[in-house]
Amino acid sequence: MKKCLIFILLFLLTSYFFGQITQTVKGKITDKVTGIGLPGAIVQLRSKTTQLNCVADNNGNYKLLNVPVGRQSFIFIYTGYQSIPVNDIIVTSGKEVLLNMELEESIVSIDEIVVNARKDTDIVNTMKQSSMKLFSIEETERYPGGRQDPARMASNFAGIQGTNDSRNDIVIRGNSPAGLLWRMEEIDIPNPNHFAVAGSAGGPQSIINNKYLANSEFYTGAFPSNYGNAIGGVFDLKLRNGNNEKHERTFQFGFLGTELALEGPLSRKSGATYLLTYRYSTLKLFSAVNFNIGTSAVPGYQDFGMRLNFPTKKAGVFSFNSIGGLSDIKIILSKQTKRPTELYGDLNKDQYFSSNMGVGILNHTYAFNSRTIMKTSLAYGVQTLDVQHYLVLRNKDFLPKDTLPKILNYDFYEGKSTLSWYLKSKRNAKTSYKIGFLLNRIDVKFYDDVKINSVFDTIAAAINNKPFKNRINTTINFYLIQPYLTLVHKFNEKLSFNGGIFSQFLTLNNRYNIEPRASLRYQLSNKQVLSLAYGLHSQMQQTYLYFAVPDSIVRNNTLLPNVNRELSNKNLDFTKSHHVVLGYDYYLSTYFKLKTELYYQYLWDVPVYEVKSSVSMLNRGATFNRFFPIYSMNNNGTGYNYGIELTLEKLYHNHFFYMFSGSLFESKYIGSNGLIANTDFNGNYIFNVLGGLEYNVGKQKKNSISFGLKATYGGGRRYSPVNIAASNAIMDVVAQDDKVNTLRFDPYNRIDFRLSYKINGKKVSTEIALDLVNILNTKNVLALSYAPDPANLQADPLIKNYQLGFLPLFYVKVDF
């Protein structure tokens, strides 16, 4: 340890006295529609002290040498195309910067390019679509509390609720997080999170590693017609290529994981590249060497990412992309010997949980000419779950009894094979179209056994002798077919149209839907944009729900026991929604912008019980518990969301950045009981204020230190008065059905702080970062939990379940 500290000290001192350090910035400049390279495009460093520019080669590739380390800004220029400024790019000594750029053709002829690097440009990028946010890798590392997780980073955007510390669920405009579509390289992928449960799209720890991501797109509603099977939003992940000239490595050690990334050329002649990442749970490493971390419930997880890219001279570009993760945890609550007054979990069960996820994608892109390309993708994705629960019976002194009856066992497998194809063509500068389809074969094998016990079941032998109730047992395959067409037309330099049709057909029950999409964008001036977007969207139900066996079914308006184990939910239709968004963007200057959106969403064909009940699928998808219907369901439920969002953002410039995002909204639903109620996600308001400072330090100002602060304030989580008798009968919280979500906890508030120090040596760069999550140790309530007192079973069995307290996170990252 002493030698290690001396080495680090010597490294810091050496890096302080080195001369000016520079790095290479390179990439490819392409047409936004076709992805074909733009030869002769100009890249310019925008700096008051350094004048650099270069010209792209015949394939659109460029290389800008001797760029000083630090945060830099660039502008991309090409004759006949709209120039694009790019700010806040972090340049370090340890790795070359890969910066690809798509330019959009102008419908007005531009005859001459003038390169002027004397001062900052007034050009701003006004071409973003409605309800779409572009996010960069720098943002996942810059925002306090983001944990280098793209999903948690998204909670900084207006309209996104980030009020659940235990999970990274993306709650968009009051929708269930299960309404989110994850896409990667043209393929819809399984939930990319560790410890993910069926029916959810989030989890406590992301499988996604920001080290292989390129700039990606995030849609919060009324998304274009090449996306479907989602009613909330879309997270479209793009993977970057590895360095095609130089082998590079990144090692990172931190609280959330120990990881290694490798990239470089497979063939410098052909330009083939590789990019590999691997991460392992640091806490699991500590546990393996008997280092006491204060709990036996150590989350074990590991994940990987891969991209192999093979360009050819005449046959197009081939690539293989893959991500995956394994996770397991043992939560042994039978070792708890004192009843707490506050709860951070469930005291009644020992839980053994493991989940796996993986996807592999083979892509081929072929250009017929400079205006038409075709892309074909073959993929296979899989998600598995293996879970067992054991009931913890306790004596009156709260000590656990010796026997732990098994009360839950389930094994879920869901695989999906996908063929994706599209043809994209640009007829001229005004008009382009994209036509394609996704053909998905879904294979499932679901099994679930459970024993329902009451609080008065206290004899282990009697519980062991109870028969299990089988809730699902099926092996089957079926298809989801999704053709689409997208048309983009620019009427002039100010007015543009993006529209099309998406459709999907589910062979499991022969349900289909046809979904028109359209958006208009009008540029009021060179700094103001008005937009209007509409979309009809639909989403199939969570796969396991079609095969869940309800206890009772409704036939001829009569509730009957389901003695024949009918799969009455197999014919459920898609849930559907209309989504309308009116947006206004005002770019006050190059580095300061305002954005506001007004939206309304109406949802229908929502699954609800066929008997009168408040149960609705709009409230599912944000917990570690799966929903199993006890009654048959139909599509008679409805809901609506409306609100207004505001974002004020000052981009990084002159050492600082800041952003305010706020949302005021309503989220309501109607169940089969006919009552209008708040959804679980109706927080009514959410506000984020964040900012940061960064200064260059050292003799040559080549190192940097940065500080970041974020404050979040949101409406308290909804909850319901509890039916104690019904809760005792199943040992879980049961709401009073006619008063669902009529109560709420105190408002959520949290302040995070981030400190980072970057060191640029001649060939190695190092970053040391510290994230202090919830620095005030605020106690935010997550939910009520069922935790009866064995000494008095008639007492109130409910305890507040609290979210994370103060949590310090750190990492050390070395690029070389």
Side-chain angles (χ1 to χ4, degrees):
M1 178 64 71
K2 183 180 295 184
K3 291 182 179 179
C4 184
L5 291 174
I6 293 173
F7 173 80
I8 293 175
L9 180 61
L10 289 174
F11 179 78
L12 293 173
L13 291 172
T14 303
S15 67
Y16 185 88
F17 289 106
F18 276 141
Q20 185 183 31
I21 297 175
T22 62
Q23 185 55 276
T24 298
V25 177
K26 63 184 183 180
K28 188 172 185 178
I29 307 170
T30 59
D31 181 277
K32 183 177 181 179
V33 175
T34 64
I36 294 173
L38 300 177
I42 293 175
V43 184
Q44 182 183 103
L45 173 68
R46 307 300 291 181
S47 171
K48 295 179 179 179
T49 59
T50 306
Q51 297 186 20
L52 293 174
N53 58 74
C54 69
V55 179
D57 64 17
N58 290 334
N59 296 314
N61 296 309
Y62 74 92
K63 182 186 291 188
L64 193 61
L65 304 175
N66 301 318
V67 178
V69 297
R71 292 187 185 267
Q72 303 293 352
S73 298
F74 304 88
I75 184 169
F76 293 79
I77 308 168
Y78 188 61
T79 303
Y81 282 69
Q82 298 185 27
S83 299
I84 297 294
V86 180
N87 303 310
D88 199 18
I89 301 300
I90 299 175
V91 181
T92 64
S93 62
K95 294 185 70 173
E96 294 182 343
V97 177
L98 183 63
L99 182 60
N100 296 322
M101 184 54 53
E102 296 176 335
L103 300 185
E104 186 165 353
E105 188 173 4
S106 174
I107 64 175
V108 176
S109 177
I110 301 175
D111 298 324
E112 183 181 5
I113 296 177
V114 178
V115 179
N116 185 347
R118 290 176 297 175
K119 60 181 181 180
D120 291 329
T121 179
D122 287 331
I123 297 175
V124 294
N125 182 8
T126 61
M127 299 311 298
K128 295 180 182 178
Q129 298 183 42
S130 300
S131 296
M132 190 268 279
K133 283 84 175 173
L134 287 171
F135 77 96
S136 64
I137 306 310
E138 288 78 12
E139 288 177 305
T140 65
E141 297 182 337
R142 182 178 64 189
Y143 294 154
R147 309 186 200 179
Q148 296 185 304
D149 180 350
R152 294 186 190 275
M153 184 277 298
S155 67
N156 296 297
F157 296 141
I160 314 302
Q161 293 184 64
T163 57
N164 186 342
D165 299 340
S166 63
R167 298 173 57 89
N168 63 4
D169 293 307
I170 301 178
V171 178
I172 303 172
R173 295 175 173 172
N175 284 284
S176 163
L180 177 75
L181 171 70
W182 287 101
R183 175 169 286 190
M184 185 180 81
E185 295 295 323
E186 305 300 330
I187 298 295
D188 301 344
I189 65 173
N191 182 350
N193 284 282
H194 291 293
F195 309 104
V197 299
S200 70
Q205 174 66 36
S206 179
I207 289 173
I208 300 166
N209 192 318
N210 64 356
K211 292 173 180 58
Y212 52 66
L213 289 181
N215 290 348
S216 301
E217 298 173 354
F218 178 56
Y219 294 87
T220 57
F223 35 86
S225 56
N226 54 310
Y227 301 105
N229 200 27
I231 57 174
V234 176
F235 217 134
D236 191 352
L237 303 170
K238 311 293 186 182
L239 272 61
R240 67 178 181 87
N241 293 325
N243 195 317
N244 62 353
E245 296 179 321
K246 180 182 177 183
H247 296 282
E248 297 178 324
R249 298 152 295 275
T250 297
F251 174 77
Q252 180 170 312
F253 176 79
F255 184 85
L256 296 177
T258 300
E259 52 191 284
L260 179 67
L262 306 172
E263 63 177 287
L266 291 170
S267 169
R268 289 185 174 87
K269 182 178 180 181
S270 69
T273 62
Y274 70 90
L275 174 60
L276 307 170
T277 68
Y278 177 77
R279 175 170 53 192
Y280 193 85
S281 166
T282 301
L283 295 182
K284 196 71 172 179
L285 286 175
F286 287 164
S287 177
V289 295
N290 296 320
F291 185 87
N292 185 8
I293 60 175
T295 178
S296 61
V298 180
Y301 54 84
Q302 53 187 314
D303 51 63
F304 73 92
M306 173 191 299
R307 179 172 172 87
L308 307 176
N309 193 63
F310 303 94
T312 67
K313 290 184 178 180
K314 295 183 178 180
V317 179
F318 295 86
S319 66
F320 179 75
N321 311 274
S322 182
I323 66 170
L326 311 175
S327 52
D328 68 89
I329 189 169
K330 299 175 182 179
I331 305 176
I332 311 300
L333 278 308
S334 56
K335 294 183 179 180
Q336 181 80 32
T337 58
K338 294 183 179 180
R339 187 173 189 266
T341 58
E342 299 176 356
L343 196 61
Y344 296 88
D346 191 335
L347 291 175
N348 297 319
K349 292 176 286 188
D350 282 357
Q351 305 173 53
Y352 299 82
F353 183 98
S354 67
S355 66
N356 304 320
M357 173 270 176
V359 61
I361 305 169
L362 179 64
N363 292 323
H364 174 236
T365 305
Y366 182 78
F368 292 98
N369 50 53
S370 63
R371 292 190 173 272
T372 303
I373 65 166
M374 177 180 71
K375 186 170 184 178
T376 306
S377 303
L378 287 171
Y380 183 73
V382 63
Q383 192 156 30
T384 67
L385 289 164
D386 184 12
V387 181
Q388 296 84 39
H389 288 179
Y390 294 83
L391 182 64
V392 178
L393 299 171
R394 300 184 183 275
N395 298 308
K396 291 185 177 182
D397 58 3
F398 206 75
L399 293 176
K401 297 181 179 179
D402 292 335
T403 304
L404 304 177
K406 190 174 186 177
I407 59 172
L408 176 67
N409 178 49
Y410 72 86
D411 190 357
F412 276 24
Y413 166 91
E414 182 172 350
K416 184 169 68 172
S417 307
T418 302
L419 168 63
S420 171
W421 175 90
Y422 72 73
L423 182 76
K424 187 159 56 172
S425 181
K426 183 169 67 172
R427 296 188 60 186
N428 50 51
K430 289 187 175 183
T431 305
S432 63
Y433 67 88
K434 180 179 180 181
I435 183 171
F437 67 83
L438 291 94
L439 175 61
N440 305 281
R441 171 179 161 134
I442 301 172
D443 292 85
V444 301
K445 186 175 182 180
F446 296 146
Y447 185 85
D448 179 282
D449 272 349
V450 67
K451 290 183 180 181
I452 306 297
N453 302 285
S454 81
V455 69
F456 302 107
D457 291 325
T458 58
I459 301 176
I463 296 173
N464 278 327
N465 290 331
K466 276 187 178 183
F468 276 98
K469 169 188 171 183
N470 180 258
R471 297 188 289 190
I472 189 170
N473 185 10
T474 190
T475 302
I476 197 172
N477 64 74
F478 52 93
Y479 292 85
L480 179 65
I481 304 167
Q482 302 169 298
Y484 61 87
L485 170 66
T486 298
L487 175 69
V488 177
H489 180 73
K490 301 176 186 176
F491 297 97
N492 51 51
E493 279 292 293
K494 294 182 178 293
L495 182 63
S496 61
F497 169 82
N498 186 329
I501 293 178
F502 181 92
S503 62
Q504 51 185 358
F505 174 70
L506 184 64
T507 63
L508 176 67
N509 53 20
N510 294 326
R511 299 288 187 173
Y512 69 91
N513 200 47
I514 299 174
E515 306 166 18
R517 317 276 176 82
S519 67
L520 288 171
R521 189 173 184 85
Y522 184 71
Q523 192 157 333
L524 300 170
S525 69
N526 64 340
K527 294 185 178 181
Q528 297 183 75
V529 176
L530 189 66
S531 61
L532 177 65
Y534 162 78
L536 169 58
H537 307 282
S538 69
Q539 184 178 27
M540 64 178 285
Q541 308 309 323
Q542 300 303 320
T543 311
Y544 80 93
L545 186 64
Y546 293 107
F547 309 103
V549 181
D551 296 341
S552 303
I553 58 176
V554 174
R555 292 292 180 267
N556 298 320
N557 296 320
T558 303
L559 184 64
L560 303 171
N562 189 11
V563 293
N564 295 322
R565 295 180 54 82
E566 293 183 28
L567 301 182
S568 59
N569 299 323
K570 192 174 180 180
N571 288 319
L572 286 173
D573 202 351
F574 298 98
T575 296
K576 305 176 182 71
S577 82
H578 293 298
H579 204 152
V580 181
V581 183
L582 177 64
Y584 173 72
D585 295 71
Y586 182 27
Y587 295 78
L588 290 84
S589 69
T590 305
Y591 301 101
F592 189 58
K593 60 182 180 179
L594 176 149
K595 181 182 183 67
T596 184
E597 289 191 337
L598 182 69
Y599 67 88
Y600 179 81
Q601 182 183 22
Y602 176 74
L603 303 106
W604 77 101
D605 281 351
V606 179
V608 294
Y609 281 156
E610 290 191 287
V611 299
K612 288 186 177 182
S613 170
S614 63
V615 169
S616 170
M617 290 305 294
L618 293 182
N619 288 330
R620 306 301 168 186
T623 69
F624 292 101
N625 298 318
R626 299 159 302 147
F627 166 72
F628 274 93
I630 58 176
Y631 303 110
S632 55
M633 306 186 81
N634 58 30
N635 288 96
N636 291 341
T638 60
Y640 58 87
N641 304 308
Y642 63 85
I644 186 170
E645 301 165 357
L646 176 67
T647 301
L648 289 169
E649 183 175 9
K650 193 271 183 186
L651 303 177
Y652 180 86
H653 183 60
N654 288 337
H655 305 294
F656 73 100
F657 75 92
Y658 60 83
M659 183 175 73
F660 166 82
S661 66
S663 305
L664 301 174
F665 62 96
E666 280 284 0
S667 180
K668 302 279 191 176
Y669 79 98
I670 302 176
S672 57
N673 59 6
L675 300 177
I676 299 175
N678 296 297
T679 68
D680 285 6
F681 313 105
N682 190 18
N684 292 128
Y685 58 91
I686 181 75
F687 303 106
N688 292 294
V689 179
L690 58 95
L693 298 169
E694 181 171 312
Y695 289 95
N696 296 325
V697 296
K699 187 175 181 180
Q700 300 296 328
K701 304 295 183 182
K702 61 188 176 301
N703 303 329
S704 64
I705 186 169
S706 62
F707 309 87
L709 192 68
K710 175 188 172 183
T712 300
Y713 187 79
R717 297 179 67 85
R718 299 281 180 174
Y719 73 104
S720 312
V722 176
N723 185 329
I724 299 298
S727 300
N728 286 335
I730 65 169
M731 297 188 71
D732 202 355
V733 175
V734 178
Q736 295 182 23
D737 195 71
D738 59 340
K739 297 179 181 178
V740 166
N741 289 334
T742 55
L743 304 174
R744 67 190 312 172
F745 297 116
D746 291 337
Y748 176 95
N749 65 94
R750 196 181 89 189
I751 297 177
D752 303 328
F753 176 77
R754 175 178 170 82
L755 172 65
S756 172
Y757 185 62
K758 294 185 177 70
I759 306 161
N760 287 295
K762 277 192 172 181
K763 295 183 179 180
V764 179
S765 61
T766 303
E767 180 184 9
I768 304 170
L770 177 65
D771 256 315
L772 302 179
V773 180
N774 194 4
I775 58 175
L776 299 182
N777 198 30
T778 304
K779 290 186 176 181
N780 293 300
V781 182
L782 178 64
L784 293 178
S785 289
Y786 183 82
D789 184 353
N792 183 6
L793 296 180
Q794 303 302 322
D796 185 358
L798 304 176
I799 294 181
K800 288 181 179 179
N801 198 336
Y802 284 88
Q803 306 207 51
L804 291 177
F806 173 67
L807 178 65
L809 303 173
F810 75 93
Y811 69 81
V812 178
K813 181 173 69 173
V814 181
D815 294 320
F816 56 102

